[in-house]
Amino acid sequence: MQTAVGGLVMAAPMAMAQPSASAPDANQKFSLTGFDDTSSRIIRLENFLGKVCLISFFTSGCNLCNHDLKLMREFYVSNRKKDFVLIGVNMDESKADFEDYKRLVALSVPKEQNFPILWRKGPEYVDNFGIIKTKPTHFVLDKTQKLMFRREGTFGPDDWNLVWDKIGKELN
């Protein structure tokens, strides 16, 4: 069962599209592994156990995605020294589009706002977040990497208040 407010989906237990036949249970622990070209290292979600994680699935040509990422960068700068991690997962179809996006970010985003961005179609990438149909789609995971909530589509002003409230409670 889930509670939906606008496009915000609260976990209670969650029911998401998954590539496997078995449905996830309320205690599903998420996983993600991929290569971050910016830091030249493999990123594993399990390495951030004990931190609140915001995972954002997006494409580079999506204006709504880019708007949300700008706001997330601001939140990231304010909270990265706390127990908070932001990971972007780019879903562009072509590696060339992803590479163009990375170059644009390198030229236009201050270094302190950089966070890991992984290409979902990369050969080393794997996750269990299921099928993502709406761009952007955001997952907020608690410190045990279980779903706090999921947002399909852009964050509205009220959603940001909820995000800050939920994450803030976990970070204190």
Coordinates of all heavy atoms in Angstrom, one line a residue, residues 16 19 30-37 41-46 48 54-58 86-92 95 98 116-132 137 139 141:
M16 N 6.7 -1.0 -6.4 CA 7.2 -0.4 -7.6 C 7.4 -1.4 -8.7 O 7.5 -2.6 -8.5 CB 8.6 0.2 -7.3 CG 8.6 1.3 -6.3 SD 10.2 2.0 -6.0 CE 11.3 0.8 -6.7
P19 N 12.1 -5.3 -12.5 CA 12.3 -6.2 -13.7 C 12.1 -7.6 -13.3 O 11.8 -8.4 -14.1 CB 13.8 -5.9 -14.0 CG 14.4 -5.2 -12.9 CD 13.3 -4.5 -12.1
F30 N 17.7 -1.2 -1.1 CA 18.1 -0.9 -2.5 C 19.6 -1.1 -2.7 O 20.4 -1.0 -1.8 CB 17.7 0.5 -2.8 CG 16.2 0.7 -3.1 CD1 15.4 0.9 -2.0 CD2 15.7 0.5 -4.3 CE1 14.0 1.0 -2.2 CE2 14.3 0.6 -4.5 CZ 13.5 0.8 -3.5
S31 N 20.0 -1.3 -4.0 CA 21.4 -1.4 -4.3 C 21.6 -0.7 -5.6 O 20.7 -0.6 -6.4 CB 21.8 -2.9 -4.4 OG 21.2 -3.5 -5.4
L32 N 22.9 -0.2 -5.8 CA 23.3 0.5 -7.0 C 24.8 0.4 -7.1 O 25.5 0.6 -6.1 CB 22.8 1.9 -6.9 CG 23.1 2.9 -7.9 CD1 22.0 4.0 -8.0 CD2 24.4 3.6 -7.6
T33 N 25.3 0.2 -8.3 CA 26.7 0.2 -8.5 C 27.0 0.8 -9.9 O 26.3 0.4 -10.8 CB 27.4 -1.2 -8.5 OG1 27.1 -1.8 -7.2 CG2 28.9 -1.2 -8.7
G34 N 27.9 1.7 -10.0 CA 28.2 2.3 -11.3 C 29.5 3.1 -11.2 O 30.0 3.4 -10.1
F35 N 30.0 3.5 -12.4 CA 31.3 4.2 -12.5 C 31.0 5.7 -12.6 O 30.2 6.2 -13.4 CB 32.0 3.8 -13.7 CG 33.4 4.4 -13.8 CD1 34.4 4.0 -12.9 CD2 33.7 5.4 -14.7 CE1 35.7 4.6 -13.0 CE2 34.9 6.0 -14.8 CZ 35.9 5.5 -13.9
D36 N 31.6 6.5 -11.7 CA 31.5 8.0 -11.7 C 32.8 8.5 -12.4 O 33.9 8.5 -11.8 CB 31.4 8.5 -10.3 CG 31.4 10.0 -10.3 OD1 30.9 10.7 -11.2 OD2 31.9 10.6 -9.2
D37 N 32.6 9.0 -13.6 CA 33.8 9.5 -14.4 C 34.4 10.7 -13.7 O 35.7 10.9 -13.8 CB 33.4 9.9 -15.8 CG 33.0 8.7 -16.7 OD1 33.6 7.7 -16.5 OD2 32.2 8.9 -17.6
R41 N 35.9 6.7 -10.0 CA 35.8 5.5 -9.1 C 34.4 4.9 -9.2 O 33.5 5.5 -9.7 CB 36.0 6.0 -7.7 CG 35.0 7.0 -7.2 CD 35.4 7.5 -5.8 NE 34.5 8.6 -5.4 CZ 33.7 8.5 -4.3 NH1 33.7 7.5 -3.6 NH2 32.9 9.5 -4.1
I42 N 34.4 3.7 -8.8 CA 33.1 2.9 -8.7 C 32.3 3.4 -7.5 O 32.9 3.5 -6.4 CB 33.4 1.4 -8.6 CG1 34.0 0.9 -9.9 CG2 32.1 0.7 -8.3 CD1 33.1 0.8 -11.1
I43 N 31.1 3.7 -7.7 CA 30.2 4.1 -6.6 C 29.3 3.0 -6.3 O 28.6 2.4 -7.2 CB 29.3 5.3 -7.1 CG1 30.2 6.5 -7.5 CG2 28.3 5.7 -6.0 CD1 31.0 7.1 -6.3
R44 N 29.2 2.6 -5.0 CA 28.4 1.5 -4.5 C 27.5 2.1 -3.5 O 28.0 2.6 -2.5 CB 29.2 0.4 -4.0 CG 29.9 -0.4 -5.0 CD 30.6 -1.6 -4.4 NE 31.2 -2.4 -5.5 CZ 32.4 -2.1 -6.0 NH1 33.1 -1.1 -5.6 NH2 32.9 -2.9 -7.0
L45 N 26.2 2.0 -3.6 CA 25.2 2.5 -2.7 C 25.5 2.0 -1.3 O 25.5 2.7 -0.3 CB 23.8 2.2 -3.1 CG 22.7 2.8 -2.3 CD1 22.8 4.3 -2.2 CD2 21.3 2.4 -2.8
E46 N 25.9 0.7 -1.2 CA 26.2 0.1 0.1 C 27.3 0.8 0.9 O 27.3 0.7 2.1 CB 26.6 -1.4 -0.1 CG 27.9 -1.6 -0.8 CD 28.1 -3.0 -1.3 OE1 27.2 -3.7 -1.7 OE2 29.3 -3.4 -1.3
F48 N 27.4 3.8 1.4 CA 26.8 5.0 2.0 C 25.8 4.6 3.1 O 25.0 5.4 3.5 CB 26.2 5.9 1.0 CG 27.1 6.4 0.0 CD1 27.1 6.0 -1.3 CD2 28.1 7.3 0.3 CE1 28.0 6.4 -2.3 CE2 29.1 7.7 -0.6 CZ 29.0 7.3 -1.9
L54 N 19.7 10.5 -1.6 CA 18.7 11.0 -2.6 C 19.3 10.5 -3.9 O 20.4 10.9 -4.3 CB 18.6 12.5 -2.5 CG 17.8 13.2 -3.6 CD1 16.4 12.6 -3.8 CD2 17.7 14.7 -3.4
I55 N 18.5 9.6 -4.6 CA 18.9 9.1 -5.9 C 18.0 9.7 -6.9 O 16.8 9.6 -6.8 CB 18.8 7.6 -5.9 CG1 19.4 6.9 -4.7 CG2 19.4 7.0 -7.2 CD1 20.9 7.1 -4.5
S56 N 18.6 10.4 -7.9 CA 17.7 11.1 -8.9 C 18.0 10.5 -10.3 O 19.2 10.5 -10.7 CB 18.1 12.6 -8.9 OG 17.3 13.2 -9.9
F57 N 17.0 10.0 -10.9 CA 17.1 9.4 -12.3 C 16.6 10.5 -13.2 O 15.5 11.1 -13.0 CB 16.2 8.2 -12.4 CG 16.7 7.0 -11.6 CD1 16.5 6.9 -10.3 CD2 17.5 6.0 -12.3 CE1 17.0 5.8 -9.6 CE2 18.0 4.9 -11.6 CZ 17.7 4.8 -10.2
F58 N 17.4 10.8 -14.2 CA 17.1 11.9 -15.1 C 17.7 11.7 -16.5 O 18.6 10.8 -16.7 CB 17.7 13.3 -14.5 CG 19.2 13.3 -14.5 CD1 19.9 14.0 -15.5 CD2 19.9 12.7 -13.5 CE1 21.2 14.0 -15.6 CE2 21.3 12.7 -13.6 CZ 22.0 13.4 -14.6
L86 N 23.9 12.6 -2.4 CA 23.1 12.8 -3.6 C 23.8 12.0 -4.7 O 25.0 12.2 -4.9 CB 23.0 14.3 -3.9 CG 22.4 14.7 -5.2 CD1 21.0 14.1 -5.3 CD2 22.4 16.2 -5.3
I87 N 23.1 11.2 -5.4 CA 23.7 10.5 -6.5 C 22.7 10.7 -7.7 O 21.5 10.4 -7.6 CB 23.8 8.9 -6.3 CG1 24.7 8.7 -5.1 CG2 24.3 8.2 -7.5 CD1 24.8 7.3 -4.6
G88 N 23.3 11.1 -8.8 CA 22.5 11.3 -10.1 C 22.7 10.1 -10.9 O 23.8 9.6 -11.1
V89 N 21.6 9.6 -11.5 CA 21.7 8.5 -12.5 C 21.1 9.0 -13.8 O 19.9 9.2 -13.9 CB 20.9 7.2 -12.0 CG1 21.0 6.1 -13.0 CG2 21.4 6.8 -10.6
N90 N 22.0 9.2 -14.8 CA 21.6 9.6 -16.1 C 21.1 8.5 -16.9 O 21.7 7.4 -16.9 CB 22.9 10.3 -16.8 CG 22.5 10.8 -18.1 OD1 22.4 10.0 -19.1 ND2 22.4 12.1 -18.3
M91 N 20.0 8.7 -17.5 CA 19.3 7.7 -18.3 C 19.3 8.0 -19.8 O 18.5 7.4 -20.6 CB 17.9 7.5 -17.8 CG 17.8 7.1 -16.4 SD 16.2 6.6 -15.7 CE 15.0 7.4 -16.8
D92 N 20.2 8.8 -20.3 CA 20.3 9.1 -21.7 C 20.6 7.8 -22.5 O 21.3 6.9 -22.0 CB 21.5 10.1 -22.0 CG 21.1 11.5 -21.6 OD1 20.0 11.8 -21.6 OD2 22.1 12.3 -21.4
K95 N 25.8 7.3 -25.1 CA 26.9 7.7 -24.3 C 27.4 9.1 -24.7 O 27.8 9.9 -23.9 CB 28.1 6.7 -24.6 CG 29.4 7.0 -23.8 CD 29.3 6.7 -22.4 CE 30.7 6.7 -21.8 NZ 30.7 6.6 -20.4
F98 N 25.4 11.6 -22.8 CA 25.9 11.6 -21.4 C 27.2 12.4 -21.3 O 27.4 13.2 -20.4 CB 26.0 10.2 -20.9 CG 26.6 10.1 -19.5 CD1 26.0 10.7 -18.5 CD2 27.7 9.3 -19.3 CE1 26.5 10.7 -17.2 CE2 28.2 9.2 -18.0 CZ 27.6 9.9 -16.9
P116 N 28.3 12.5 -7.4 CA 28.4 11.4 -8.4 C 27.3 11.4 -9.4 O 26.1 11.5 -9.0 CB 28.5 10.2 -7.5 CG 28.8 10.6 -6.2 CD 28.3 12.0 -6.0
I117 N 27.6 11.3 -10.7 CA 26.6 11.1 -11.7 C 27.0 9.8 -12.5 O 28.1 9.8 -13.0 CB 26.5 12.3 -12.6 CG1 26.0 13.5 -11.8 CG2 25.5 12.0 -13.8 CD1 25.9 14.8 -12.6
L118 N 26.1 8.9 -12.5 CA 26.4 7.6 -13.1 C 25.5 7.5 -14.4 O 24.4 8.0 -14.4 CB 26.1 6.4 -12.2 CG 26.6 6.6 -10.7 CD1 26.0 5.5 -9.9 CD2 28.1 6.7 -10.7
W119 N 26.0 6.7 -15.4 CA 25.2 6.5 -16.6 C 24.6 5.1 -16.5 O 25.3 4.1 -16.4 CB 26.1 6.5 -17.8 CG 25.4 6.4 -19.1 CD1 24.2 7.1 -19.5 CD2 25.8 5.7 -20.3 NE1 23.9 6.8 -20.8 CE2 24.8 5.9 -21.3 CE3 26.8 4.8 -20.5 CZ2 24.9 5.3 -22.5 CZ3 26.9 4.2 -21.8 CH2 25.9 4.5 -22.8
R120 N 23.3 5.1 -16.5 CA 22.5 3.8 -16.2 C 22.8 2.8 -17.3 O 22.7 1.6 -17.0 CB 21.0 4.1 -16.1 CG 20.3 2.9 -15.4 CD 18.9 3.2 -15.1 NE 18.4 2.3 -14.1 CZ 17.1 2.0 -13.9 NH1 16.2 2.6 -14.7 NH2 16.7 1.2 -13.0
K121 N 23.2 3.2 -18.5 CA 23.4 2.2 -19.5 C 24.9 1.8 -19.6 O 25.3 1.1 -20.5 CB 23.0 2.8 -20.9 CG 21.5 3.0 -20.9 CD 21.0 3.0 -22.4 CE 19.5 3.2 -22.4 NZ 18.8 1.9 -22.3
G122 N 25.7 2.3 -18.6 CA 27.1 1.9 -18.6 C 27.3 0.4 -18.4 O 26.5 -0.2 -17.7
P123 N 28.4 -0.1 -18.9 CA 28.6 -1.6 -18.8 C 28.8 -2.1 -17.3 O 28.5 -3.2 -17.0 CB 29.9 -1.8 -19.6 CG 30.6 -0.5 -19.6 CD 29.5 0.5 -19.6
E124 N 29.2 -1.2 -16.4 CA 29.4 -1.6 -15.0 C 28.2 -1.2 -14.1 O 28.2 -1.5 -13.0 CB 30.7 -1.0 -14.5 CG 30.7 0.6 -14.4 CD 30.7 1.3 -15.7 OE1 31.5 1.0 -16.6 OE2 29.8 2.2 -15.9
Y125 N 27.2 -0.6 -14.7 CA 26.1 -0.2 -13.9 C 25.1 -1.3 -13.6 O 24.7 -2.0 -14.5 CB 25.4 1.0 -14.6 CG 24.3 1.6 -13.7 CD1 24.6 2.6 -12.8 CD2 23.0 1.1 -13.8 CE1 23.6 3.1 -12.0 CE2 22.0 1.6 -12.9 CZ 22.3 2.6 -12.0 OH 21.4 3.1 -11.2
V126 N 24.6 -1.3 -12.4 CA 23.5 -2.3 -12.0 C 22.8 -1.7 -10.8 O 23.4 -1.0 -10.0 CB 24.1 -3.7 -11.7 CG1 25.0 -3.7 -10.5 CG2 22.9 -4.7 -11.5
D127 N 21.4 -1.8 -10.8 CA 20.7 -1.4 -9.7 C 19.4 -2.3 -9.5 O 19.1 -3.1 -10.4 CB 20.3 0.1 -9.7 CG 19.2 0.4 -10.8 OD1 18.3 -0.3 -11.0 OD2 19.3 1.5 -11.4
N128 N 18.7 -2.1 -8.5 CA 17.4 -2.8 -8.3 C 16.3 -1.8 -8.0 O 15.3 -2.1 -7.3 CB 17.5 -3.8 -7.1 CG 17.7 -3.2 -5.8 OD1 18.0 -2.0 -5.6 ND2 17.4 -4.0 -4.7
F129 N 16.4 -0.6 -8.7 CA 15.3 0.4 -8.6 C 14.1 0.2 -9.5 O 13.1 0.8 -9.4 CB 15.9 1.8 -8.8 CG 16.7 2.3 -7.7 CD1 18.0 2.0 -7.5 CD2 16.1 3.1 -6.7 CE1 18.8 2.4 -6.4 CE2 16.9 3.6 -5.6 CZ 18.2 3.2 -5.5
G130 N 14.3 -0.8 -10.4 CA 13.1 -1.2 -11.3 C 13.1 -0.3 -12.5 O 14.0 0.5 -12.8
I131 N 12.0 -0.3 -13.2 CA 11.7 0.4 -14.4 C 11.4 1.8 -14.0 O 10.5 2.1 -13.2 CB 10.6 -0.3 -15.2 CG1 11.0 -1.7 -15.6 CG2 10.3 0.6 -16.4 CD1 9.9 -2.5 -16.1
I132 N 12.1 2.8 -14.6 CA 11.8 4.2 -14.4 C 11.1 4.7 -15.7 O 11.7 4.7 -16.7 CB 13.1 5.0 -14.2 CG1 13.9 4.4 -13.0 CG2 12.8 6.5 -13.9 CD1 13.3 4.4 -11.7
T137 N 12.7 11.0 -11.8 CA 12.2 10.2 -10.7 C 13.2 10.2 -9.6 O 14.4 10.0 -9.9 CB 11.8 8.8 -11.1 OG1 10.8 8.8 -12.0 CG2 11.4 7.9 -9.9
F139 N 14.3 9.0 -5.5 CA 14.1 8.1 -4.4 C 14.9 8.7 -3.2 O 16.1 9.1 -3.4 CB 14.7 6.8 -4.7 CG 14.0 6.0 -5.8 CD1 14.3 6.3 -7.1 CD2 13.1 5.0 -5.5 CE1 13.6 5.6 -8.2 CE2 12.5 4.3 -6.5 CZ 12.7 4.5 -7.8
L141 N 16.2 7.5 0.3 CA 16.4 6.3 1.1 C 16.9 6.7 2.5 O 17.7 7.6 2.7 CB 17.5 5.4 0.5 CG 17.2 5.1 -1.0 CD1 18.4 4.2 -1.5 CD2 15.9 4.4 -1.2

